[in-house]
Amino acid sequence: MARIIDIAEHKEEALSAASAVLGDGHPVAIPTETVYGLAADATNPAAITRIYETKGRPQFNPLICHMADLAMAERYAVFDPLSRALAQAFWPGPLTLVLPLKPESGIHALATAGLDTVGIRIPKGFAGDLIRAFDRPLAAPSANTSGKISATSAAHVDDDLGGKIRLILDAGASKVGVESTIVKVENGELTLLRPGGLAAAEIERVAGKRLRRQKKASAAIEAPGMLASHYAPGAAVRLDASTIAAGEAAILFGPRDIEGMEKAAMRLNLSPAGDLTEAAANLFDYMKKADASGAATIAFAPIPDEGLGEAINDRLRRAAAPRE
Ligand code: TXA
Ligand code: MG
């Protein structure tokens, strides 16, 4: 069983215990502001392999490499004025930049899936302190079984992976609640690879240019595994519901009522005030609660596709996608 350390009370112990497990080539579940990550030494192939084994991930996808700060990131990736401007504006925070990998950087090819680029993110809070102490980049996908709902609390991680890992660091509920926004920077162009916890419009404001959006087909090549069924609860998922059928679990958004919602087996509201930031923070936790209710179907009210709504709708489409 995993040991769980509350970092608010035992920060130093958490740092030293985590550094020991990481140094031993094993993964540790760590809090970040987006979701909990299953982190391992990005320079150690055995450690990276253990991430895949623990998650039951069928194929090797490129993993995001987490750094302590921009100076550390510059040791591993090539920045240009545009990527540096985005890094300065948004790091630490929920933005991942895909950048050219420096040759001989030390990041193992298993973390980049053999690509000549690397996805880099600087997380807020304790994770940054841990990386600074460990002084190596940490590869970290979300801390959940492959294809399942991402973990936004230590309890989520423990329920799912507690039997398979040594250590979980607990910092309470993740503030942002959806994974980072991934942007590729190449030849002065920005391409949105995954909408996430930083709204695309904010990136465009700082960059002074539009993000290119990927066509579905090329997205599959750029980010293997991203289009398959993902974030899947056990229940079926129905989107853009305008009525609720008897016995469904209803997940609402905003102050408006939906026809038939009094017949729902369970009713949750992502944000009664209609705030997309609050809705993102509640998304995965409410999906898990609705799933645990035993309802055969979870019906979601429509969510506006602006701001963080783009990331929420992306995750919902994948939760609703046909299962393998
Ligand atoms: O918020 C987050 O980003 C969380 C927390 C733990 O930091 N991490 C996360 O990692 O979501 P993960 O492994 O689930 O996301 C990895 C995705 C890949 O599926 C791929 O889409 C993209 O990041 N990626 C990473 N490196 C890439 C690269 N070199 N080229 C293109 N895409 C890359
Ligand atoms: Mg994930």
mmCIF file with all atom_site columns, all heavy atoms in Angstrom, residues 91-119:
data_model
loop_
_atom_site.group_PDB
_atom_site.id
_atom_site.type_symbol
_atom_site.label_atom_id
_atom_site.label_alt_id
_atom_site.label_comp_id
_atom_site.label_asym_id
_atom_site.label_entity_id
_atom_site.label_seq_id
_atom_site.pdbx_PDB_ins_code
_atom_site.Cartn_x
_atom_site.Cartn_y
_atom_site.Cartn_z
_atom_site.occupancy
_atom_site.B_iso_or_equiv
_atom_site.pdbx_formal_charge
_atom_site.auth_seq_id
_atom_site.auth_comp_id
_atom_site.auth_asym_id
_atom_site.auth_atom_id
_atom_site.pdbx_PDB_model_num
ATOM 1   N N   . TRP A 1 91  ? 4.598  30.657 -16.790 1.00 0.00 ? 91  TRP A N   1
ATOM 2   C CA  . TRP A 1 91  ? 5.230  29.675 -15.897 1.00 0.00 ? 91  TRP A CA  1
ATOM 3   C C   . TRP A 1 91  ? 5.565  30.312 -14.572 1.00 0.00 ? 91  TRP A C   1
ATOM 4   O O   . TRP A 1 91  ? 6.041  31.453 -14.573 1.00 0.00 ? 91  TRP A O   1
ATOM 5   C CB  . TRP A 1 91  ? 6.491  29.122 -16.547 1.00 0.00 ? 91  TRP A CB  1
ATOM 6   C CG  . TRP A 1 91  ? 6.224  28.049 -17.568 1.00 0.00 ? 91  TRP A CG  1
ATOM 7   C CD1 . TRP A 1 91  ? 5.029  27.425 -17.832 1.00 0.00 ? 91  TRP A CD1 1
ATOM 8   C CD2 . TRP A 1 91  ? 7.193  27.461 -18.454 1.00 0.00 ? 91  TRP A CD2 1
ATOM 9   N NE1 . TRP A 1 91  ? 5.206  26.504 -18.848 1.00 0.00 ? 91  TRP A NE1 1
ATOM 10  C CE2 . TRP A 1 91  ? 6.520  26.505 -19.239 1.00 0.00 ? 91  TRP A CE2 1
ATOM 11  C CE3 . TRP A 1 91  ? 8.562  27.654 -18.667 1.00 0.00 ? 91  TRP A CE3 1
ATOM 12  C CZ2 . TRP A 1 91  ? 7.154  25.727 -20.206 1.00 0.00 ? 91  TRP A CZ2 1
ATOM 13  C CZ3 . TRP A 1 91  ? 9.201  26.888 -19.622 1.00 0.00 ? 91  TRP A CZ3 1
ATOM 14  C CH2 . TRP A 1 91  ? 8.506  25.935 -20.381 1.00 0.00 ? 91  TRP A CH2 1
ATOM 15  N N   . PRO A 1 92  ? 5.427  29.637 -13.444 1.00 0.00 ? 92  PRO A N   1
ATOM 16  C CA  . PRO A 1 92  ? 4.795  28.327 -13.341 1.00 0.00 ? 92  PRO A CA  1
ATOM 17  C C   . PRO A 1 92  ? 3.298  28.421 -13.596 1.00 0.00 ? 92  PRO A C   1
ATOM 18  O O   . PRO A 1 92  ? 2.683  29.418 -13.235 1.00 0.00 ? 92  PRO A O   1
ATOM 19  C CB  . PRO A 1 92  ? 5.074  27.919 -11.888 1.00 0.00 ? 92  PRO A CB  1
ATOM 20  C CG  . PRO A 1 92  ? 5.268  29.203 -11.161 1.00 0.00 ? 92  PRO A CG  1
ATOM 21  C CD  . PRO A 1 92  ? 5.845  30.165 -12.144 1.00 0.00 ? 92  PRO A CD  1
ATOM 22  N N   . GLY A 1 93  ? 2.737  27.377 -14.209 1.00 0.00 ? 93  GLY A N   1
ATOM 23  C CA  . GLY A 1 93  ? 1.313  27.392 -14.500 1.00 0.00 ? 93  GLY A CA  1
ATOM 24  C C   . GLY A 1 93  ? 0.920  26.307 -15.478 1.00 0.00 ? 93  GLY A C   1
ATOM 25  O O   . GLY A 1 93  ? 1.757  25.523 -15.912 1.00 0.00 ? 93  GLY A O   1
ATOM 26  N N   . PRO A 1 94  ? -0.380 26.284 -15.834 1.00 0.00 ? 94  PRO A N   1
ATOM 27  C CA  . PRO A 1 94  ? -0.928 25.149 -16.592 1.00 0.00 ? 94  PRO A CA  1
ATOM 28  C C   . PRO A 1 94  ? -0.692 25.222 -18.100 1.00 0.00 ? 94  PRO A C   1
ATOM 29  O O   . PRO A 1 94  ? -1.616 25.057 -18.879 1.00 0.00 ? 94  PRO A O   1
ATOM 30  C CB  . PRO A 1 94  ? -2.417 25.194 -16.249 1.00 0.00 ? 94  PRO A CB  1
ATOM 31  C CG  . PRO A 1 94  ? -2.688 26.612 -15.934 1.00 0.00 ? 94  PRO A CG  1
ATOM 32  C CD  . PRO A 1 94  ? -1.432 27.187 -15.353 1.00 0.00 ? 94  PRO A CD  1
ATOM 33  N N   . LEU A 1 95  ? 0.553  25.509 -18.490 1.00 0.00 ? 95  LEU A N   1
ATOM 34  C CA  . LEU A 1 95  ? 0.925  25.556 -19.904 1.00 0.00 ? 95  LEU A CA  1
ATOM 35  C C   . LEU A 1 95  ? 2.094  24.610 -20.151 1.00 0.00 ? 95  LEU A C   1
ATOM 36  O O   . LEU A 1 95  ? 3.110  24.692 -19.459 1.00 0.00 ? 95  LEU A O   1
ATOM 37  C CB  . LEU A 1 95  ? 1.355  26.977 -20.291 1.00 0.00 ? 95  LEU A CB  1
ATOM 38  C CG  . LEU A 1 95  ? 1.953  27.114 -21.700 1.00 0.00 ? 95  LEU A CG  1
ATOM 39  C CD1 . LEU A 1 95  ? 0.891  26.872 -22.774 1.00 0.00 ? 95  LEU A CD1 1
ATOM 40  C CD2 . LEU A 1 95  ? 2.596  28.489 -21.898 1.00 0.00 ? 95  LEU A CD2 1
ATOM 41  N N   . THR A 1 96  ? 1.955  23.722 -21.140 1.00 0.00 ? 96  THR A N   1
ATOM 42  C CA  . THR A 1 96  ? 3.068  22.880 -21.593 1.00 0.00 ? 96  THR A CA  1
ATOM 43  C C   . THR A 1 96  ? 3.514  23.369 -22.958 1.00 0.00 ? 96  THR A C   1
ATOM 44  O O   . THR A 1 96  ? 2.683  23.550 -23.850 1.00 0.00 ? 96  THR A O   1
ATOM 45  C CB  . THR A 1 96  ? 2.631  21.400 -21.683 1.00 0.00 ? 96  THR A CB  1
ATOM 46  O OG1 . THR A 1 96  ? 2.315  20.937 -20.370 1.00 0.00 ? 96  THR A OG1 1
ATOM 47  C CG2 . THR A 1 96  ? 3.722  20.527 -22.288 1.00 0.00 ? 96  THR A CG2 1
ATOM 48  N N   . LEU A 1 97  ? 4.810  23.604 -23.113 1.00 0.00 ? 97  LEU A N   1
ATOM 49  C CA  . LEU A 1 97  ? 5.373  24.005 -24.406 1.00 0.00 ? 97  LEU A CA  1
ATOM 50  C C   . LEU A 1 97  ? 6.105  22.823 -25.017 1.00 0.00 ? 97  LEU A C   1
ATOM 51  O O   . LEU A 1 97  ? 6.940  22.193 -24.347 1.00 0.00 ? 97  LEU A O   1
ATOM 52  C CB  . LEU A 1 97  ? 6.347  25.170 -24.224 1.00 0.00 ? 97  LEU A CB  1
ATOM 53  C CG  . LEU A 1 97  ? 5.729  26.492 -23.745 1.00 0.00 ? 97  LEU A CG  1
ATOM 54  C CD1 . LEU A 1 97  ? 6.831  27.520 -23.477 1.00 0.00 ? 97  LEU A CD1 1
ATOM 55  C CD2 . LEU A 1 97  ? 4.718  27.032 -24.764 1.00 0.00 ? 97  LEU A CD2 1
ATOM 56  N N   . VAL A 1 98  ? 5.799  22.496 -26.261 1.00 0.00 ? 98  VAL A N   1
ATOM 57  C CA  . VAL A 1 98  ? 6.542  21.473 -27.003 1.00 0.00 ? 98  VAL A CA  1
ATOM 58  C C   . VAL A 1 98  ? 7.600  22.195 -27.825 1.00 0.00 ? 98  VAL A C   1
ATOM 59  O O   . VAL A 1 98  ? 7.281  23.011 -28.687 1.00 0.00 ? 98  VAL A O   1
ATOM 60  C CB  . VAL A 1 98  ? 5.602  20.626 -27.882 1.00 0.00 ? 98  VAL A CB  1
ATOM 61  C CG1 . VAL A 1 98  ? 6.408  19.675 -28.764 1.00 0.00 ? 98  VAL A CG1 1
ATOM 62  C CG2 . VAL A 1 98  ? 4.626  19.844 -27.009 1.00 0.00 ? 98  VAL A CG2 1
ATOM 63  N N   . LEU A 1 99  ? 8.855  21.891 -27.513 1.00 0.00 ? 99  LEU A N   1
ATOM 64  C CA  . LEU A 1 99  ? 10.006 22.639 -28.039 1.00 0.00 ? 99  LEU A CA  1
ATOM 65  C C   . LEU A 1 99  ? 11.062 21.673 -28.559 1.00 0.00 ? 99  LEU A C   1
ATOM 66  O O   . LEU A 1 99  ? 11.089 20.498 -28.158 1.00 0.00 ? 99  LEU A O   1
ATOM 67  C CB  . LEU A 1 99  ? 10.632 23.466 -26.907 1.00 0.00 ? 99  LEU A CB  1
ATOM 68  C CG  . LEU A 1 99  ? 9.714  24.477 -26.211 1.00 0.00 ? 99  LEU A CG  1
ATOM 69  C CD1 . LEU A 1 99  ? 10.393 25.032 -24.964 1.00 0.00 ? 99  LEU A CD1 1
ATOM 70  C CD2 . LEU A 1 99  ? 9.360  25.601 -27.166 1.00 0.00 ? 99  LEU A CD2 1
ATOM 71  N N   . PRO A 1 100 ? 11.997 22.164 -29.395 1.00 0.00 ? 100 PRO A N   1
ATOM 72  C CA  . PRO A 1 100 ? 13.088 21.289 -29.845 1.00 0.00 ? 100 PRO A CA  1
ATOM 73  C C   . PRO A 1 100 ? 13.923 20.826 -28.645 1.00 0.00 ? 100 PRO A C   1
ATOM 74  O O   . PRO A 1 100 ? 14.273 21.626 -27.775 1.00 0.00 ? 100 PRO A O   1
ATOM 75  C CB  . PRO A 1 100 ? 13.916 22.199 -30.766 1.00 0.00 ? 100 PRO A CB  1
ATOM 76  C CG  . PRO A 1 100 ? 12.996 23.311 -31.164 1.00 0.00 ? 100 PRO A CG  1
ATOM 77  C CD  . PRO A 1 100 ? 12.037 23.499 -30.023 1.00 0.00 ? 100 PRO A CD  1
ATOM 78  N N   . LEU A 1 101 ? 14.210 19.533 -28.635 1.00 0.00 ? 101 LEU A N   1
ATOM 79  C CA  . LEU A 1 101 ? 15.016 18.942 -27.562 1.00 0.00 ? 101 LEU A CA  1
ATOM 80  C C   . LEU A 1 101 ? 16.489 19.220 -27.840 1.00 0.00 ? 101 LEU A C   1
ATOM 81  O O   . LEU A 1 101 ? 16.941 19.083 -28.979 1.00 0.00 ? 101 LEU A O   1
ATOM 82  C CB  . LEU A 1 101 ? 14.753 17.433 -27.570 1.00 0.00 ? 101 LEU A CB  1
ATOM 83  C CG  . LEU A 1 101 ? 15.424 16.538 -26.550 1.00 0.00 ? 101 LEU A CG  1
ATOM 84  C CD1 . LEU A 1 101 ? 14.940 16.865 -25.141 1.00 0.00 ? 101 LEU A CD1 1
ATOM 85  C CD2 . LEU A 1 101 ? 15.113 15.069 -26.877 1.00 0.00 ? 101 LEU A CD2 1
ATOM 86  N N   . LYS A 1 102 ? 17.234 19.605 -26.809 1.00 0.00 ? 102 LYS A N   1
ATOM 87  C CA  . LYS A 1 102 ? 18.673 19.770 -27.012 1.00 0.00 ? 102 LYS A CA  1
ATOM 88  C C   . LYS A 1 102 ? 19.326 18.408 -27.149 1.00 0.00 ? 102 LYS A C   1
ATOM 89  O O   . LYS A 1 102 ? 19.014 17.498 -26.376 1.00 0.00 ? 102 LYS A O   1
ATOM 90  C CB  . LYS A 1 102 ? 19.281 20.513 -25.817 1.00 0.00 ? 102 LYS A CB  1
ATOM 91  C CG  . LYS A 1 102 ? 19.069 22.002 -25.877 1.00 0.00 ? 102 LYS A CG  1
ATOM 92  C CD  . LYS A 1 102 ? 19.982 22.728 -24.908 1.00 0.00 ? 102 LYS A CD  1
ATOM 93  C CE  . LYS A 1 102 ? 19.882 24.223 -25.135 1.00 0.00 ? 102 LYS A CE  1
ATOM 94  N NZ  . LYS A 1 102 ? 20.426 24.988 -23.994 1.00 0.00 ? 102 LYS A NZ  1
ATOM 95  N N   . PRO A 1 103 ? 20.243 18.253 -28.098 1.00 0.00 ? 103 PRO A N   1
ATOM 96  C CA  . PRO A 1 103 ? 20.935 16.968 -28.205 1.00 0.00 ? 103 PRO A CA  1
ATOM 97  C C   . PRO A 1 103 ? 21.702 16.678 -26.918 1.00 0.00 ? 103 PRO A C   1
ATOM 98  O O   . PRO A 1 103 ? 22.160 17.614 -26.254 1.00 0.00 ? 103 PRO A O   1
ATOM 99  C CB  . PRO A 1 103 ? 21.877 17.150 -29.392 1.00 0.00 ? 103 PRO A CB  1
ATOM 100 C CG  . PRO A 1 103 ? 21.689 18.530 -29.915 1.00 0.00 ? 103 PRO A CG  1
ATOM 101 C CD  . PRO A 1 103 ? 20.690 19.249 -29.071 1.00 0.00 ? 103 PRO A CD  1
ATOM 102 N N   . GLU A 1 104 ? 21.820 15.422 -26.571 1.00 0.00 ? 104 GLU A N   1
ATOM 103 C CA  . GLU A 1 104 ? 22.545 15.000 -25.349 1.00 0.00 ? 104 GLU A CA  1
ATOM 104 C C   . GLU A 1 104 ? 21.968 15.652 -24.098 1.00 0.00 ? 104 GLU A C   1
ATOM 105 O O   . GLU A 1 104 ? 22.688 15.911 -23.137 1.00 0.00 ? 104 GLU A O   1
ATOM 106 C CB  . GLU A 1 104 ? 24.047 15.357 -25.423 1.00 0.00 ? 104 GLU A CB  1
ATOM 107 C CG  . GLU A 1 104 ? 24.743 15.026 -26.739 1.00 0.00 ? 104 GLU A CG  1
ATOM 108 C CD  . GLU A 1 104 ? 24.835 13.534 -26.995 1.00 0.00 ? 104 GLU A CD  1
ATOM 109 O OE1 . GLU A 1 104 ? 24.942 12.762 -26.008 1.00 0.00 ? 104 GLU A OE1 1
ATOM 110 O OE2 . GLU A 1 104 ? 24.756 13.127 -28.169 1.00 0.00 ? 104 GLU A OE2 1
ATOM 111 N N   . SER A 1 105 ? 20.680 15.917 -24.116 1.00 0.00 ? 105 SER A N   1
ATOM 112 C CA  . SER A 1 105 ? 20.091 16.602 -22.962 1.00 0.00 ? 105 SER A CA  1
ATOM 113 C C   . SER A 1 105 ? 20.038 15.714 -21.730 1.00 0.00 ? 105 SER A C   1
ATOM 114 O O   . SER A 1 105 ? 19.960 16.195 -20.610 1.00 0.00 ? 105 SER A O   1
ATOM 115 C CB  . SER A 1 105 ? 18.673 17.047 -23.303 1.00 0.00 ? 105 SER A CB  1
ATOM 116 O OG  . SER A 1 105 ? 17.820 15.902 -23.340 1.00 0.00 ? 105 SER A OG  1
ATOM 117 N N   . GLY A 1 106 ? 20.033 14.404 -21.953 1.00 0.00 ? 106 GLY A N   1
ATOM 118 C CA  . GLY A 1 106 ? 19.916 13.483 -20.820 1.00 0.00 ? 106 GLY A CA  1
ATOM 119 C C   . GLY A 1 106 ? 18.502 12.986 -20.591 1.00 0.00 ? 106 GLY A C   1
ATOM 120 O O   . GLY A 1 106 ? 18.290 11.990 -19.910 1.00 0.00 ? 106 GLY A O   1
ATOM 121 N N   . ILE A 1 107 ? 17.516 13.664 -21.164 1.00 0.00 ? 107 ILE A N   1
ATOM 122 C CA  . ILE A 1 107 ? 16.146 13.147 -21.076 1.00 0.00 ? 107 ILE A CA  1
ATOM 123 C C   . ILE A 1 107 ? 16.083 11.879 -21.923 1.00 0.00 ? 107 ILE A C   1
ATOM 124 O O   . ILE A 1 107 ? 16.518 11.868 -23.076 1.00 0.00 ? 107 ILE A O   1
ATOM 125 C CB  . ILE A 1 107 ? 15.128 14.194 -21.564 1.00 0.00 ? 107 ILE A CB  1
ATOM 126 C CG1 . ILE A 1 107 ? 15.071 15.343 -20.551 1.00 0.00 ? 107 ILE A CG1 1
ATOM 127 C CG2 . ILE A 1 107 ? 13.748 13.569 -21.760 1.00 0.00 ? 107 ILE A CG2 1
ATOM 128 C CD1 . ILE A 1 107 ? 14.120 16.444 -20.923 1.00 0.00 ? 107 ILE A CD1 1
ATOM 129 N N   . HIS A 1 108 ? 15.557 10.812 -21.342 1.00 0.00 ? 108 HIS A N   1
ATOM 130 C CA  . HIS A 1 108 ? 15.579 9.541  -22.058 1.00 0.00 ? 108 HIS A CA  1
ATOM 131 C C   . HIS A 1 108 ? 14.531 9.501  -23.173 1.00 0.00 ? 108 HIS A C   1
ATOM 132 O O   . HIS A 1 108 ? 13.446 10.090 -23.031 1.00 0.00 ? 108 HIS A O   1
ATOM 133 C CB  . HIS A 1 108 ? 15.357 8.381  -21.089 1.00 0.00 ? 108 HIS A CB  1
ATOM 134 C CG  . HIS A 1 108 ? 15.768 7.075  -21.693 1.00 0.00 ? 108 HIS A CG  1
ATOM 135 N ND1 . HIS A 1 108 ? 14.910 6.297  -22.426 1.00 0.00 ? 108 HIS A ND1 1
ATOM 136 C CD2 . HIS A 1 108 ? 16.961 6.449  -21.718 1.00 0.00 ? 108 HIS A CD2 1
ATOM 137 C CE1 . HIS A 1 108 ? 15.562 5.235  -22.866 1.00 0.00 ? 108 HIS A CE1 1
ATOM 138 N NE2 . HIS A 1 108 ? 16.815 5.295  -22.445 1.00 0.00 ? 108 HIS A NE2 1
ATOM 139 N N   . ALA A 1 109 ? 14.868 8.783  -24.257 1.00 0.00 ? 109 ALA A N   1
ATOM 140 C CA  . ALA A 1 109 ? 13.956 8.687  -25.413 1.00 0.00 ? 109 ALA A CA  1
ATOM 141 C C   . ALA A 1 109 ? 12.606 8.070  -25.040 1.00 0.00 ? 109 ALA A C   1
ATOM 142 O O   . ALA A 1 109 ? 11.607 8.306  -25.720 1.00 0.00 ? 109 ALA A O   1
ATOM 143 C CB  . ALA A 1 109 ? 14.615 7.883  -26.533 1.00 0.00 ? 109 ALA A CB  1
ATOM 144 N N   . LEU A 1 110 ? 12.552 7.295  -23.958 1.00 0.00 ? 110 LEU A N   1
ATOM 145 C CA  . LEU A 1 110 ? 11.255 6.752  -23.547 1.00 0.00 ? 110 LEU A CA  1
ATOM 146 C C   . LEU A 1 110 ? 10.313 7.864  -23.076 1.00 0.00 ? 110 LEU A C   1
ATOM 147 O O   . LEU A 1 110 ? 9.100  7.719  -23.150 1.00 0.00 ? 110 LEU A O   1
ATOM 148 C CB  . LEU A 1 110 ? 11.425 5.746  -22.394 1.00 0.00 ? 110 LEU A CB  1
ATOM 149 C CG  . LEU A 1 110 ? 11.866 4.344  -22.797 1.00 0.00 ? 110 LEU A CG  1
ATOM 150 C CD1 . LEU A 1 110 ? 12.087 3.514  -21.536 1.00 0.00 ? 110 LEU A CD1 1
ATOM 151 C CD2 . LEU A 1 110 ? 10.832 3.678  -23.692 1.00 0.00 ? 110 LEU A CD2 1
ATOM 152 N N   . ALA A 1 111 ? 10.869 8.956  -22.585 1.00 0.00 ? 111 ALA A N   1
ATOM 153 C CA  . ALA A 1 111 ? 10.021 10.072 -22.122 1.00 0.00 ? 111 ALA A CA  1
ATOM 154 C C   . ALA A 1 111 ? 9.520  10.911 -23.288 1.00 0.00 ? 111 ALA A C   1
ATOM 155 O O   . ALA A 1 111 ? 8.446  11.504 -23.210 1.00 0.00 ? 111 ALA A O   1
ATOM 156 C CB  . ALA A 1 111 ? 10.782 10.952 -21.134 1.00 0.00 ? 111 ALA A CB  1
ATOM 157 N N   . THR A 1 112 ? 10.279 10.961 -24.374 1.00 0.00 ? 112 THR A N   1
ATOM 158 C CA  . THR A 1 112 ? 9.874  11.773 -25.530 1.00 0.00 ? 112 THR A CA  1
ATOM 159 C C   . THR A 1 112 ? 9.318  10.904 -26.655 1.00 0.00 ? 112 THR A C   1
ATOM 160 O O   . THR A 1 112 ? 9.021  11.424 -27.734 1.00 0.00 ? 112 THR A O   1
ATOM 161 C CB  . THR A 1 112 ? 11.077 12.561 -26.088 1.00 0.00 ? 112 THR A CB  1
ATOM 162 O OG1 . THR A 1 112 ? 12.109 11.626 -26.408 1.00 0.00 ? 112 THR A OG1 1
ATOM 163 C CG2 . THR A 1 112 ? 11.601 13.569 -25.079 1.00 0.00 ? 112 THR A CG2 1
ATOM 164 N N   . ALA A 1 113 ? 9.207  9.604  -26.421 1.00 0.00 ? 113 ALA A N   1
ATOM 165 C CA  . ALA A 1 113 ? 8.785  8.655  -27.458 1.00 0.00 ? 113 ALA A CA  1
ATOM 166 C C   . ALA A 1 113 ? 9.680  8.772  -28.693 1.00 0.00 ? 113 ALA A C   1
ATOM 167 O O   . ALA A 1 113 ? 9.219  8.620  -29.825 1.00 0.00 ? 113 ALA A O   1
ATOM 168 C CB  . ALA A 1 113 ? 7.304  8.841  -27.821 1.00 0.00 ? 113 ALA A CB  1
ATOM 169 N N   . GLY A 1 114 ? 10.942 9.091  -28.450 1.00 0.00 ? 114 GLY A N   1
ATOM 170 C CA  . GLY A 1 114 ? 11.908 9.140  -29.540 1.00 0.00 ? 114 GLY A CA  1
ATOM 171 C C   . GLY A 1 114 ? 11.802 10.369 -30.430 1.00 0.00 ? 114 GLY A C   1
ATOM 172 O O   . GLY A 1 114 ? 12.516 10.466 -31.425 1.00 0.00 ? 114 GLY A O   1
ATOM 173 N N   . LEU A 1 115 ? 10.925 11.309 -30.076 1.00 0.00 ? 115 LEU A N   1
ATOM 174 C CA  . LEU A 1 115 ? 10.786 12.527 -30.889 1.00 0.00 ? 115 LEU A CA  1
ATOM 175 C C   . LEU A 1 115 ? 11.993 13.435 -30.666 1.00 0.00 ? 115 LEU A C   1
ATOM 176 O O   . LEU A 1 115 ? 12.729 13.291 -29.681 1.00 0.00 ? 115 LEU A O   1
ATOM 177 C CB  . LEU A 1 115 ? 9.502  13.274 -30.498 1.00 0.00 ? 115 LEU A CB  1
ATOM 178 C CG  . LEU A 1 115 ? 8.188  12.502 -30.694 1.00 0.00 ? 115 LEU A CG  1
ATOM 179 C CD1 . LEU A 1 115 ? 7.022  13.266 -30.069 1.00 0.00 ? 115 LEU A CD1 1
ATOM 180 C CD2 . LEU A 1 115 ? 7.931  12.295 -32.184 1.00 0.00 ? 115 LEU A CD2 1
ATOM 181 N N   . ASP A 1 116 ? 12.168 14.413 -31.588 1.00 0.00 ? 116 ASP A N   1
ATOM 182 C CA  . ASP A 1 116 ? 13.252 15.377 -31.366 1.00 0.00 ? 116 ASP A CA  1
ATOM 183 C C   . ASP A 1 116 ? 12.717 16.648 -30.708 1.00 0.00 ? 116 ASP A C   1
ATOM 184 O O   . ASP A 1 116 ? 13.333 17.702 -30.749 1.00 0.00 ? 116 ASP A O   1
ATOM 185 C CB  . ASP A 1 116 ? 14.002 15.679 -32.668 1.00 0.00 ? 116 ASP A CB  1
ATOM 186 C CG  . ASP A 1 116 ? 13.067 16.114 -33.776 1.00 0.00 ? 116 ASP A CG  1
ATOM 187 O OD1 . ASP A 1 116 ? 11.872 16.356 -33.483 1.00 0.00 ? 116 ASP A OD1 1
ATOM 188 O OD2 . ASP A 1 116 ? 13.517 16.221 -34.930 1.00 0.00 ? 116 ASP A OD2 1
ATOM 189 N N   . THR A 1 117 ? 11.527 16.519 -30.125 1.00 0.00 ? 117 THR A N   1
ATOM 190 C CA  . THR A 1 117 ? 10.947 17.612 -29.344 1.00 0.00 ? 117 THR A CA  1
ATOM 191 C C   . THR A 1 117 ? 10.664 17.111 -27.940 1.00 0.00 ? 117 THR A C   1
ATOM 192 O O   . THR A 1 117 ? 10.666 15.898 -27.695 1.00 0.00 ? 117 THR A O   1
ATOM 193 C CB  . THR A 1 117 ? 9.624  18.102 -29.968 1.00 0.00 ? 117 THR A CB  1
ATOM 194 O OG1 . THR A 1 117 ? 8.762  16.970 -30.091 1.00 0.00 ? 117 THR A OG1 1
ATOM 195 C CG2 . THR A 1 117 ? 9.850  18.747 -31.320 1.00 0.00 ? 117 THR A CG2 1
ATOM 196 N N   . VAL A 1 118 ? 10.428 18.043 -27.026 1.00 0.00 ? 118 VAL A N   1
ATOM 197 C CA  . VAL A 1 118 ? 10.092 17.666 -25.652 1.00 0.00 ? 118 VAL A CA  1
ATOM 198 C C   . VAL A 1 118 ? 8.975  18.581 -25.149 1.00 0.00 ? 118 VAL A C   1
ATOM 199 O O   . VAL A 1 118 ? 8.978  19.785 -25.435 1.00 0.00 ? 118 VAL A O   1
ATOM 200 C CB  . VAL A 1 118 ? 11.337 17.727 -24.730 1.00 0.00 ? 118 VAL A CB  1
ATOM 201 C CG1 . VAL A 1 118 ? 11.965 19.118 -24.713 1.00 0.00 ? 118 VAL A CG1 1
ATOM 202 C CG2 . VAL A 1 118 ? 10.997 17.286 -23.311 1.00 0.00 ? 118 VAL A CG2 1
ATOM 203 N N   . GLY A 1 119 ? 8.016  17.996 -24.439 1.00 0.00 ? 119 GLY A N   1
ATOM 204 C CA  . GLY A 1 119 ? 6.951  18.775 -23.808 1.00 0.00 ? 119 GLY A CA  1
ATOM 205 C C   . GLY A 1 119 ? 7.406  19.170 -22.413 1.00 0.00 ? 119 GLY A C   1
ATOM 206 O O   . GLY A 1 119 ? 7.717  18.307 -21.596 1.00 0.00 ? 119 GLY A O   1
#
